[in-house]
Amino acid sequence: MEIKILNGKAVAKQLEENIKIRAQKFYEKYGYKPCLATIIVGHNPASEMYIKMKMNACNRVGLDAVKIEIDEQADTQDVLDVIEQLNNNDKITGILLQHPIAKHMDERLCFDSIAVHKDVDGVNTTSFGKMTMATDAFLPATPAAIMEILNFYNIELEGKHAVVVGRSPILGKPVSMLLLNHNATVTICHSKTKNLQQYLKLADIVVAAVGQPKFIKGEDLKEGVIIVDAGYNKGNIGDVDMETCLDKASAYTPVPGGVGPVTIAKLLDQTMTAAENNKIKKLIKK
Ligand code: NAP
């Protein structure tokens, strides 16, 4: 069986080329660049690295990016105040609050205080509701990336059984809703699922969003399965033990070079869309 590699870099490249053109047109028309504001709380090295990658990607496609640093000792209200300022700042197109923030802070409250039209990372409860109802909404970046990859490689979802392992608010849960909205039959598994293997065996598509290196093993999968490995663990290791899965898979996303690069590209894509939407709304109001 020939195995198809679902190369995220190719998907991201195409997305970035499209954003570059839109950003250039936007700049020529309005004289400024859309701007992504990223808020980071504390000094988590992984978060610092992700933010650097996102800001570099903004520069690459012609978007502005600013970083706001908040002290780890600050409280929820301090984060809410920063978000409110950004919500009210016309120069800021999109707002990203880098997860995780300090443990003593109310992350959900902070996410939900981001204005929906600036919620380009799709973390707001309202954005989640709109996405689930399949109305216009910004999607969480990683689930959006997964759908983009499946679409890019013409992977048929209708009637397929998708098993999502993980139910986090930013990944497992929303990607399950998106797959459902694309007419897949979806099983969501989590740490309390009994006999996970019995579900995995039935999967046409597996989405691994567990946060444990090499968690999904080939022996648990059926022949011809499509594997989306959203995992990203220390040492560039995914949540799928790909060596044991290659015999079973008909297609898979590699780690690195699969879901990761597309996640960043989707964030930029949605930032660009937020700027375009905002301009359209202002024109309608006039
Ligand atoms: P998370 O918040 O820790 O969620 C992990 C999920 O896996 C939870 O729902 C948990 O179940 C479930 N789980 C844990 N152990 C399990 C087990 N033994 N059996 C079945 N389910 C189990 O993690 P996350 O933020 O969703 O991230 C998941 C992975 O994706 C990580 O590797 C992360 O680095 C990666 N990620 C990648 C990107 C990217 O851009 N590529 C972006 C975000 C995350 P409970 O709900 O019951 O606890």
Side-chain angles (χ1 to χ4, degrees), residues 50 54 99 141-143 145-146 164-173 188-193 196 208-213 215-216 229-234 237-239 255 258-264:
Y50 292 141
K54 289 166 189 171
H99 163 85
T142 307
I146 291 171
V164 179
V165 189
R167 58 170 167 178
S168 74
I170 58 155
L171 184 41
K173 214 174 270 180
I188 309 171
C189 300
H190 46 82
S191 68
K192 308 289 184 291
T193 299
L196 174 66
V210 199
Q212 292 189 32
F215 181 80
I216 309 274
D229 188 352
Y232 196 73
N233 305 289
K234 218 173 173 187
I237 295 168
D239 286 351
V255 178
V259 176
V262 191
T263 296
I264 294 180

Side-chain angles (χ1 to χ4, degrees), residues 143-208:
I146 291 171
M147 301 310 286
E148 190 78 37
I149 293 170
L150 295 172
N151 181 53
F152 185 92
Y153 288 101
N154 293 318
I155 293 184
E156 181 65 47
L157 297 173
E158 187 162 316
K160 296 281 167 60
H161 183 198
V163 174
V164 179
V165 189
R167 58 170 167 178
S168 74
I170 58 155
L171 184 41
K173 214 174 270 180
V175 80
S176 301
M177 295 302 122
L178 292 171
L179 290 163
L180 182 65
N181 286 345
H182 284 78
N183 294 326
T185 300
V186 183
T187 301
I188 309 171
C189 300
H190 46 82
S191 68
K192 308 289 184 291
T193 299
K194 291 202 173 98
N195 198 356
L196 174 66
Q197 283 71 19
Q198 76 180 345
Y199 300 107
L200 288 173
K201 273 269 187 257
L202 298 173
D204 300 310
I205 300 166
V206 169
V207 178

Side-chain angles (χ1 to χ4, degrees), residues 256-278:
V259 176
V262 191
T263 296
I264 294 180
K266 282 308 288 183
L267 176 70
L268 307 184
D269 183 39
Q270 297 197 136
T271 303
M272 193 61 235
T273 304
E276 291 160 346
N277 285 351
N278 207 19

Side-chain angles (χ1 to χ4, degrees), residues 9-181:
K9 285 186 191 159
V11 183
K13 188 164 175 259
Q14 196 187 69
L15 274 171
E16 283 198 11
E17 276 163 12
N18 173 275
I19 302 162
K20 255 187 214 163
I21 295 167
R22 288 155 66 200
Q24 180 64 29
K25 272 193 192 153
F26 188 95
Y27 183 71
E28 281 166 11
K29 199 164 173 189
Y30 302 110
Y32 72 97
K33 296 176 183 179
C35 181
L36 174 69
T38 304
I39 306 165
I40 181 168
V41 177
H43 293 286
N44 177 335
S47 293
E48 299 270 13
M49 187 191 74
Y50 292 141
I51 289 180
K52 199 171 168 195
M53 285 162 74
K54 289 166 189 171
M55 292 180 81
N56 287 344
C58 280
N59 293 333
R60 216 164 43 230
V61 298
L63 304 180
D64 271 342
V66 289
K67 179 167 90 166
I68 295 112
E69 295 175 352
I70 298 180
D71 196 274
E72 183 123 39
Q73 307 305 323
D75 58 25
T76 303
Q77 190 57 49
D78 296 317
V79 183
L80 293 175
D81 290 345
V82 168
I83 292 172
E84 195 188 346
Q85 281 170 24
L86 296 171
N87 281 341
N88 293 325
N89 183 342
D90 280 347
K91 294 207 173 93
I92 301 298
T93 319
I95 302 169
L96 168 87
L97 174 61
Q98 184 66 43
H99 163 85
I101 61 175
K103 282 208 172 76
H104 64 273
M105 293 176 180
D106 185 341
E107 188 176 72
R108 177 46 45 206
L109 185 64
C110 294
F111 280 158
D112 285 347
S113 73
I114 297 173
V116 175
H117 67 285
K118 294 191 180 190
D119 181 25
V120 293
D121 202 29
V123 293
N124 190 298
T125 303
T126 303
S127 304
F128 183 91
K130 284 174 167 239
M131 173 203 69
T132 301
M133 292 305 176
T135 55
D136 213 13
F138 291 125
L139 310 178
T142 307
I146 291 171
M147 301 310 286
E148 190 78 37
I149 293 170
L150 295 172
N151 181 53
F152 185 92
Y153 288 101
N154 293 318
I155 293 184
E156 181 65 47
L157 297 173
E158 187 162 316
K160 296 281 167 60
H161 183 198
V163 174
V164 179
V165 189
R167 58 170 167 178
S168 74
I170 58 155
L171 184 41
K173 214 174 270 180
V175 80
S176 301
M177 295 302 122
L178 292 171
L179 290 163
L180 182 65
N181 286 345

Side-chain angles (χ1 to χ4, degrees), residues 210-286:
V210 199
Q212 292 189 32
K214 300 189 178 188
F215 181 80
I216 309 274
K217 310 279 182 203
E219 66 205 42
D220 298 328
L221 303 176
K222 77 174 179 188
E223 203 75 41
V225 64
I226 293 162
I227 303 173
V228 177
D229 188 352
Y232 196 73
N233 305 289
K234 218 173 173 187
N236 277 350
I237 295 168
D239 286 351
V240 176
D241 183 12
M242 210 52 85
E243 267 170 43
T244 62
C245 292
L246 283 182
D247 276 355
K248 296 283 180 69
S250 59
Y252 74 97
T253 61
V255 178
V259 176
V262 191
T263 296
I264 294 180
K266 282 308 288 183
L267 176 70
L268 307 184
D269 183 39
Q270 297 197 136
T271 303
M272 193 61 235
T273 304
E276 291 160 346
N277 285 351
N278 207 19
K279 282 295 169 195
I280 292 166
K281 275 196 198 117
K282 285 205 172 129
L283 282 176
I284 291 170
K285 269 191 196 160
K286 270 186 187 169

